[in-house]
Amino acid sequence: MKYHRISEIKNDEFLGKEIRVRGWVYRLRKQKDKSFIIIRDERGGIIQCVLPSARVPDLTIESSLEIQGILFKDERAKEGGYEIRGNDVKIYSIANNDFPIREYQSTELLLDYRHLTLRTRKMITIAKVRATILGVVRNWFIENDWMEVTAPTLVKSAVEGGSTLFPVKYFKDEAFLSQSAQLYLEALIFSLGPVWTIGPSFRAEKSRTLRHLAEYLHLEAEAPWISMTDLFSIQEKLLVYLVRNLTRERREELEFLNRDIQALNKITEPFDKLSYNQAINDLRSKDIKIQEGELLRKIEWGDDLNIDSEKILTKDRINPVFVYGYPLKVKPFYVKEDPEEQGIALTTDLLLPDGFGEVSSGGMREDNIDLLKSRIMSEGLDMNSYSWYLDLRRYGSVPHGGFGIGIERLVRWLANLEDIKECVLFPRTMARLEP
Ligand code: 4AD
Ligand code: MG
């Protein structure tokens, strides 16, 4: 007889039928004659099983077992009113009687035991939302004729500045863990057109924040002959498509996570576009301060936007908002300068509403070899490590651009989670390399 997924049998069609489920003991109550075993299966389905106590050996939480019985409906049954009246139990393994994941444990302990915390309902729900997000974005790229590619994670040079590079020993040489696949995607657009990738990016982030990981999943896209207008519209379409599909496919999970689905579904294209200048003026009018070393001073033109500024700019918004036209000096060497405005970069960051903040950065790339060389030089980077990248400007350079989205940042917003460590199954931070 085949096994049933619990999610599939909690359905009147199965009433009175012989059912076989397998999984782990989630809750347990043994009375003199009857035992109530709430069982969690491999996809997080939960159902109550009732068996004569004489047939039930000494069980512990998380023991693995298989139960065969008949499906009944019983209002008193915990977890949805269905119950299996079991007639046969097979034990796979009796768990040690000290399963460390219980209610009201500290966040740190839950992280230390993440390999076991993943069995909790919250983590299973987040994992499902995350999986659907990955599936939906892949579908969007397939439907819109972008080609999926992969890029190496062991690289020779920085993309996003030297301060967050992770060095690794590479035979007799030194390499780094990739911060972004962008430079490789730029190489691929010459033969593959619009391309996208999803893979890990690494940042040696030394600050502890609720939105930075040392390893995160990075979705990046790049295309030839694209414009800033295209870059706005591609990201708008992608995000709206994601929200519509996710809220349809994962309604129950989002509700469990207390995500206001209605608010989420209000997002529509186009999103507002705010120039960096407007953003700074707005922040200055609200007297926003930024930390400079020991000092707290008023934000001024030329400063990068920090999380506090992003919170203010996105407060009370329904849609995400683009901020474009940052000063060249706060952006990496590869960004293209606005030919019409000296010192201004043709870049755009997308900020999520309700203070969730930056989810993507992108823009046009410098396609002129001389300008690019002078940027590499003025940033103090080693020209030799970029010689292959410069070839892309030597042989048929074209205007092009793209963007990168942090998947955990997306999960954080869509699933309404505070801490980015909840948005990935096995988080990596400065303080955490295990499990
Ligand atoms: O803004 P970033 O650094 O931009 C780039 O890497 C570009 N090369 C992307 C491109 O144009 N192809 O990173 C892009 C996004 C950020 O907006 C953020 O969502 C996420 O990646 N991100 C992080 N997510 C989690 N932890 C970190 N430490 C992150 N750093 C960036
Ligand atoms: Mg950025």
Side-chain angles (χ1 to χ4, degrees):
M1 187 182 164
K2 77 165 189 134
Y3 292 94
H4 298 88
R5 277 261 168 89
I6 290 174
S7 60
E8 151 204 357
I9 56 160
K10 283 169 116 174
N11 183 325
D12 285 357
E13 265 178 52
F14 284 87
L15 288 177
K17 298 220 167 103
E18 184 90 9
I19 298 294
R20 183 140 63 132
V21 293
R22 54 187 174 182
W24 294 265
V25 176
Y26 184 69
R27 301 249 186 288
L28 191 62
R29 190 157 51 92
K30 207 164 178 176
Q31 295 174 346
K32 199 157 160 274
D33 49 340
K34 269 201 260 179
S35 287
F36 296 87
I37 305 170
I38 296 185
I39 177 169
R40 169 183 58 81
D41 80 359
E42 61 190 18
R43 265 300 149 73
I46 293 179
I47 197 163
Q48 172 167 299
C49 306
V50 193
L51 288 107
S53 289
R55 291 224 173 172
V56 179
D58 277 340
L59 283 175
T60 49
I61 297 295
E62 290 301 315
S63 292
S64 46
L65 76 183
E66 161 184 329
I67 292 178
Q68 190 164 324
I70 309 282
L71 189 74
F72 281 85
K73 214 168 184 172
D74 187 333
E75 271 171 20
R76 292 164 303 172
K78 297 221 160 63
E79 305 298 340
Y82 289 96
E83 120 184 329
I84 297 174
R85 302 206 178 138
N87 45 44
D88 198 23
V89 190
K90 178 180 162 193
I91 305 294
Y92 286 94
S93 168
I94 298 290
N96 284 6
N97 198 12
D98 56 358
F99 189 63
I101 312 302
R102 273 168 270 127
E103 265 178 288
Y104 312 116
Q105 296 286 34
S106 77
T107 316
E108 278 307 300
L109 182 134
L110 293 176
L111 281 163
D112 290 342
Y113 284 103
R114 179 52 76 83
H115 50 295
L116 301 177
T117 308
L118 289 168
R119 302 181 190 188
T120 60
R121 209 182 278 204
K122 183 169 186 192
M123 285 311 301
I124 294 170
T125 308
I126 295 170
K128 287 180 179 174
V129 170
R130 183 178 157 106
T132 301
I133 291 174
L134 295 177
V136 173
V137 296
R138 171 163 281 114
N139 282 345
W140 188 86
F141 280 106
I142 293 172
E143 282 176 20
N144 289 280
D145 197 24
W146 291 69
M147 186 157 161
E148 184 168 1
V149 295
T150 55
T153 39
L154 285 167
V155 298
K156 191 68 199 155
S157 42
V159 187
E160 298 298 318
S163 66
T164 60
L165 276 177
F166 272 116
V168 284
K169 205 163 159 280
Y170 191 70
F171 304 104
K172 286 186 174 146
D173 204 351
E174 185 185 50
F176 301 103
L177 297 177
S178 170
Q179 297 168 305
S180 159
Q182 182 193 315
L183 308 191
Y184 294 94
L185 299 194
E186 286 186 60
L188 292 167
I189 58 161
F190 292 82
S191 51
L192 304 177
V195 288
W196 75 287
T197 190
I198 193 154
S201 277
F202 301 87
R203 306 282 170 103
E205 302 280 358
K206 283 163 201 103
S207 54
R208 290 185 194 207
T209 79
L210 295 173
R211 52 180 208 155
H212 288 91
L213 293 163
E215 174 175 353
Y216 71 96
L217 197 60
H218 203 172
L219 181 157
E220 295 182 271
E222 194 76 22
W225 290 295
I226 208 167
S227 67
M228 285 289 280
T229 319
D230 299 327
L231 287 171
F232 291 134
S233 124
I234 293 161
Q235 296 184 73
E236 287 165 352
K237 291 193 160 59
L238 173 62
L239 280 202
V240 171
Y241 178 92
L242 173 59
V243 165
R244 298 282 182 270
N245 282 282
L246 181 75
T247 52
R248 204 179 51 240
E249 289 176 35
R250 290 291 178 200
R251 172 161 293 275
E252 209 179 293
E253 287 77 10
L254 294 174
E255 275 167 3
F256 177 81
L257 295 166
N258 293 321
R259 188 20 152 151
D260 182 346
I261 296 176
Q262 248 186 330
L264 198 55
N265 258 327
K266 282 196 186 129
I267 87 161
T268 45
E269 322 166 41
F271 303 164
D272 281 344
K273 282 109 198 160
L274 195 64
S275 75
Y276 171 86
N277 290 350
Q278 285 170 300
I280 290 291
N281 286 342
D282 183 13
L283 294 167
R284 282 181 67 80
S285 76
K286 291 178 181 141
D287 208 26
I288 298 308
K289 303 267 194 316
I290 65 158
Q291 189 85 32
E292 190 172 66
E294 301 278 281
L295 242 74
L296 207 58
R297 62 157 173 82
K298 194 164 172 172
I299 193 164
E300 55 192 53
W301 198 94
D303 290 329
D304 206 352
L305 302 180
N306 60 13
I307 181 65
D308 295 328
S309 315
E310 290 179 11
K311 272 191 185 144
I312 302 212
L313 296 172
T314 62
K315 201 168 157 268
D316 301 327
R317 281 179 189 273
I318 290 165
N319 273 337
V321 56
F322 286 107
V323 179
Y324 67 92
Y326 282 79
L328 209 52
K329 64 171 191 186
V330 303
K331 290 290 175 187
F333 73 95
Y334 55 74
V335 307
K336 188 174 171 66
E337 187 170 1
D338 188 340
E340 277 155 30
E341 222 182 331
Q342 215 194 348
I344 299 298
L346 288 177
T347 61
T348 159
D349 281 8
L350 182 59
L351 313 182
L352 295 170
D354 297 327
F356 281 94
E358 181 188 328
V359 70
S360 98
S361 281
M364 302 299 295
R365 321 305 188 186
E366 186 48 75
D367 48 66
N368 176 294
I369 188 159
D370 297 322
L371 295 176
L372 185 57
K373 275 184 176 166
S374 70
R375 292 293 307 283
I376 292 177
M377 238 137 57
S378 65
E379 300 270 320
L381 298 166
D382 171 19
M383 194 70 74
N384 289 328
S385 341
Y386 295 95
S387 75
W388 70 265
Y389 183 64
L390 291 167
D391 273 350
L392 308 177
R393 277 65 179 166
R394 288 189 184 102
Y395 303 102
S397 191
V398 288
H400 65 283
F403 59 88
I405 293 181
I407 290 294
E408 289 77 12
R409 299 264 180 107
L410 266 186
V411 175
R412 188 168 169 260
W413 172 55
L414 294 166
N416 187 34
L417 299 164
E418 169 83 5
D419 187 346
I420 198 163
K421 293 195 288 300
E422 292 193 306
C423 307
V424 54
L425 304 181
F426 294 101
R428 293 289 175 261
T429 63
M430 193 165 91
R432 192 165 292 282
L433 192 56
E434 268 188 322

